[in-house]
Amino acid sequence: MSGGGCSIVWFRRDLRVEDNPALTAAVRSGAVIAVFIWAPEEEGHYNPGRVSRWWLKQSLIHLDIALKSLGTSLVTKRSSDSVSSLLEVIQSTGATQLFFNHLYDPISMVRDHRAKEVLTAHGVAVRSFNADLLYEPWEVNDEEGRSFTTFSGFWDRCLSMPYDPESPLLPPKRIISGDVSRCASDTIVFEDELEKGSNALLARAWTPGWSNADKALTTFLNGPLIEYSKNRRKVDTATTSFLSPHLHFGEVSVRKVFNLARIKQVLWTNEGNKAGEESVNLFLKSIGLREYSRYMSFNHPHSHERPLLGHLRYFPWVVDEGYFKAWRQGRTGYPLVDAGMRELWATGWLHDRIRVVVSSFFVKVLQLPWRWGMKYFWDTLLDADLESDALGWQYITGTIPDGREFDRVDNLQFEGYKFDPNGEYVRRWLPELIRLPTEWIHHPWNAPESVLQAAGIELGSNYPLPIVEIDAAKARLQLALSQMWQHEAASRAAIENGMEEGLGDSSESTALIAFPPDTDMDMDHEPIRNNNNPTATINRRYEDQMVPSMTSSFLRVEDEETSTYVRNTADGRGEVPANVNVNDEVRREPIGNALAEFNRRNSEDSTAESSINGRRERDGGVVPVWSPSGSNYSGDENGMGASSSYLQRSIHSLTSY
DNA sequence: GCATTATTCCG
DNA sequence: GGAATAATG
């Protein structure tokens, strides 16, 4: 105990008492004050959507109940600045220590770094912990100590680390409560009146909170897990774990999930149950993808807004709010897509397969900017998770080295019969097609007029014709891709000629594609006009669909609407902030500073020592941070230089070693 | 031994 | 783009 002062545990997305290292450490050091700060404005574009807020509200109630049973309760604060609120809590309680668990999205890394600096300056001892991952991002490296650029490399390494993930911690037996008599909780409003009706429906299908997370885990381990492999293709039945929202809010520890699944696996392996063994591998792989999303976010803090492969910056996205609206409303004329989008809207959830279907369609058929789709997912998914969603969309868009090929357009009709062979899924979500025979359910545009009539369907009226023909979309995609490569080559050539900017003063090169004004769910369902004319004028935009990033708005570097793409420096790379120490000796924070790390990685001739090898101190001391170190951050990688070296490196690693 | 053709997997 | 699995005739 330090001088009688108590400790603050700052809860964020770790809303549990079991296997919560920050809580455990605080309890060990004496009296505890548990705090949750609601500061959505801090998160810019990515403040939680309606369904996420609905979940969070209840998750906090469950956490509070658990804390009360242990001897304290949760202090809630409404704030526009988390760090200031922490200071207030410290001042009103006399706390001398702050404990929290790591987060890896860029906003959190910046904020948490600042919290640590500010509070330390105020004489508060700050310690942070890994509660969200099997291994911290800086622990997982290849033989040369470099971070991985593909998932399979990363995950193989995770599964063969020289040491196991930490074993889950038991919940504290009892918590001594700090004095909060002069630290009143704020009432937090998580939903407005208009949202209550929609939210009421969510409660039918979902029960947030740590105890329900544990129940969901148990149910899954004892039920669907063993057939997880076999049922992968079924989108219509309860064969998934349904853990994603629980995991997002940290209601259950991923290490607990991992350990329990492994125990099952050993059991089934010993029984010679190959399918069971394989099922666990597949399930753990999806846990691994979640891990990898944090890894990617940590190593590439811009991955929620910029393609990791630089040439994708030059893809001419179709900027068409009509398409976007049709997709959101489930009125594209492709039943599998439309069913998925209606389910998402109605329930806040989609089977992973359907996420792939609707997002591929979004990017490859409609060729809308992927970040629009990601933002819509963010606003509507119960398990909205910036890191996972960024990884998912970059995978689908093919902007990471191991992503899907961009020019591969899946056959929706085929996928429909594969994932939904009897059309039950489509009929459930598209009542207008309920009488359409299975033979036509995934391609009503081919159905004979008599069949449509008998089913009460009038295409173009009560159900749309395809908004874009697949063949036209493929042709359009090829054209767009060749334009992309031309732009990329022109830009590269210009840079080699020493020009400051590859594309001269083309206004395109600084154009931004902002989020459409109404990316939230909209309630009107007016029919969308079909546009099947492939020669119709398409409004395309070059450049990545850059919008003011949440980090830049957070840092107030640039104004929302007028911010411009920062130009390359002469060597084609972004500027490295001058005052970032890449090689300083402060290796107590091995990640040190992820931005410095990021720039270092992207510096082609870097000789800096790669990130820290071997086993590190597991907790305390280490904070994943992304510190812009002042205002000169805007020049950091701007796609081109950074990403092309990323591409080169990944090719290099594929071909040379 | 049986057909036809190339490489790897589907997050 | 589609499905399982590998070399090759």
Side-chain angles (χ1 to χ4, degrees), chain A residues 235-282:
Chain A
V235 297
D236 206 26
T237 46
T239 54
T240 61
S241 73
F242 297 108
L243 284 173
S244 52
H246 296 294
L247 281 168
H248 171 77
F249 287 104
E251 296 174 350
V252 60
S253 150
V254 75
R255 295 184 290 233
K256 179 175 174 179
V257 174
F258 183 84
N259 282 354
L260 292 177
R262 277 246 142 144
I263 288 170
K264 286 287 185 188
Q265 188 174 40
V266 169
L267 197 72
W268 293 330
T269 302
N270 290 339
E271 291 172 356
N273 184 337
K274 284 278 177 211
E277 187 183 356
E278 182 58 18
S279 286
V280 176
N281 282 338
L282 281 166

Side-chain angles (χ1 to χ4, degrees), chain A residues 401-587:
Chain A
D402 52 351
R404 293 197 161 196
E405 303 88 337
F406 200 166
D407 57 356
R408 182 184 123 193
V409 180
D410 288 313
N411 182 339
L412 280 167
Q413 190 175 323
F414 176 86
E415 303 222 290
Y417 288 107
K418 184 163 80 173
F419 297 142
D420 181 31
N422 302 315
E424 289 158 9
Y425 179 71
V426 164
R427 289 192 198 91
R428 177 180 314 158
W429 294 107
L430 302 177
E432 60 267 50
L433 300 185
I434 202 158
R435 294 170 64 199
L436 189 62
T438 301
E439 185 184 0
W440 306 106
I441 195 76
H442 291 299
H443 53 133
W445 55 88
N446 288 333
E449 194 52 43
S450 59
V451 170
L452 291 172
Q453 256 178 23
I457 298 164
E458 195 183 334
L459 289 180
S461 171
N462 61 0
Y463 186 75
L465 280 159
I467 187 170
V468 178
E469 299 281 0
I470 293 296
D471 287 340
K474 283 181 182 170
R476 218 170 68 173
L477 184 61
Q478 290 306 324
L479 194 64
L481 285 168
S482 70
Q483 286 171 353
M484 174 186 83
W485 288 115
Q486 278 172 27
H487 262 73
E488 200 262 353
S491 175
R492 189 190 296 272
I495 286 160
E496 280 164 10
N497 290 336
M499 289 170 59
E500 186 189 340
E501 165 65 33
L503 297 171
D505 66 349
S506 156
S507 59
E508 290 167 344
S509 68
T510 54
L512 307 183
I513 304 179
F515 287 134
D518 59 337
T519 49
D520 289 335
M521 293 185 278
D522 35 12
M523 301 305 283
D524 59 318
H525 253 182
E526 77 212 40
I528 300 295
R529 190 146 301 283
N530 288 304
N531 177 9
N532 279 317
N533 179 1
T535 60
T537 307
I538 292 166
N539 181 14
R540 287 191 184 269
R541 294 274 197 91
Y542 294 89
E543 285 305 315
D544 184 22
Q545 61 283 23
M546 183 66 184
V547 294
S549 69
M550 48 186 192
T551 44
S552 60
S553 59
F554 178 58
L555 294 165
R556 295 186 189 84
V557 171
E558 294 166 328
D559 177 65
E560 290 250 332
E561 292 306 317
T562 60
S563 85
T564 51
Y565 221 115
V566 178
R567 285 160 181 264
N568 280 326
T569 48
D571 64 354
R573 269 183 256 134
E575 294 168 35
V576 178
N579 52 347
V580 169
N581 290 323
V582 175
N583 255 339
D584 77 24
E585 78 286 4
V586 189
R587 293 302 200 186

Side-chain angles (χ1 to χ4, degrees), chain A residues 58-351:
Chain A
Q58 295 172 82
S59 192
L60 289 170
I61 292 170
H62 282 256
L63 176 64
D64 187 45
I65 291 168
L67 290 169
K68 284 195 168 103
S69 75
L70 293 170
T72 186
S73 62
L74 188 65
V75 174
T76 53
K77 289 287 180 185
R78 176 67 173 90
S79 170
S80 57
D81 178 48
S82 295
V83 178
S84 302
S85 293
L86 284 172
L87 276 174
E88 284 166 25
V89 173
I90 282 160
Q91 274 150 15
S92 65
T93 60
T96 57
Q97 298 186 92
L98 174 72
F99 297 80
F100 63 88
N101 294 310
H102 294 158
L103 296 172
Y104 309 89
D105 65 283
I107 283 283
S108 296
M109 286 196 283
V110 171
R111 181 197 55 216
D112 295 352
H113 179 61
R114 185 169 140 253
K116 192 184 180 193
E117 285 191 336
V118 171
L119 270 63
T120 302
H122 279 77
V124 177
V126 180
R127 293 178 66 201
S128 63
F129 304 84
N130 170 18
D132 192 49
L133 296 173
L134 301 176
Y135 299 103
E136 291 283 17
W138 55 88
E139 291 180 79
V140 186
N141 296 299
D142 66 15
E143 279 82 6
E144 277 86 39
R146 297 172 305 196
S147 57
F148 291 97
T149 56
T150 63
F151 170 68
S152 64
F154 165 82
W155 189 232
D156 287 350
R157 179 67 182 154
C158 286
L159 293 175
S160 61
M161 289 285 279
Y163 50 94
D164 287 331
E166 293 285 290
S167 298
L169 299 161
L170 292 172
K173 289 197 170 63
R174 177 171 157 63
I175 298 175
I176 300 164
S177 188
D179 178 12
V180 291
S181 57
R182 294 194 299 128
C183 180
S185 278
D186 298 332
T187 302
I188 303 177
V189 179
F190 287 106
E191 58 183 359
D192 62 36
E193 289 303 317
L194 290 172
E195 293 170 334
K196 282 185 176 166
S198 309
N199 286 346
L201 297 173
L202 295 171
R204 293 190 195 170
W206 295 95
T207 46
W210 60 270
S211 54
N212 295 309
D214 281 341
K215 278 182 206 157
L217 175 60
T218 306
T219 301
F220 176 65
L221 292 170
N222 294 328
L225 175 59
I226 196 165
E227 305 217 297
Y228 192 78
S229 160
K230 192 179 105 191
N231 289 331
R232 268 188 308 165
R233 289 185 162 192
K234 301 269 183 241
V235 297
D236 206 26
T237 46
T239 54
T240 61
S241 73
F242 297 108
L243 284 173
S244 52
H246 296 294
L247 281 168
H248 171 77
F249 287 104
E251 296 174 350
V252 60
S253 150
V254 75
R255 295 184 290 233
K256 179 175 174 179
V257 174
F258 183 84
N259 282 354
L260 292 177
R262 277 246 142 144
I263 288 170
K264 286 287 185 188
Q265 188 174 40
V266 169
L267 197 72
W268 293 330
T269 302
N270 290 339
E271 291 172 356
N273 184 337
K274 284 278 177 211
E277 187 183 356
E278 182 58 18
S279 286
V280 176
N281 282 338
L282 281 166
F283 172 65
L284 291 182
K285 185 175 169 183
S286 65
I287 297 292
L289 285 164
R290 179 183 175 282
E291 299 272 312
Y292 188 60
S293 72
R294 271 74 178 147
Y295 189 78
M296 188 171 92
S297 176
F298 175 79
N299 287 311
H300 303 279
H302 287 295
S303 58
H304 63 290
E305 59 187 8
R306 296 185 196 170
L308 265 56
L309 296 182
H311 55 272
L312 261 298
R313 256 187 83 202
Y314 299 98
F315 187 83
W317 300 102
V318 173
V319 177
D320 186 321
E321 291 190 26
Y323 281 2
F324 186 34
K325 188 170 189 177
W327 178 79
R328 294 198 308 268
Q329 296 183 338
R331 300 190 60 79
T332 69
Y334 290 94
L336 192 62
V337 172
D338 291 340
M341 295 310 293
R342 306 263 183 106
E343 181 184 19
L344 172 58
W345 186 3
T347 68
W349 192 81
L350 277 184
H351 191 288

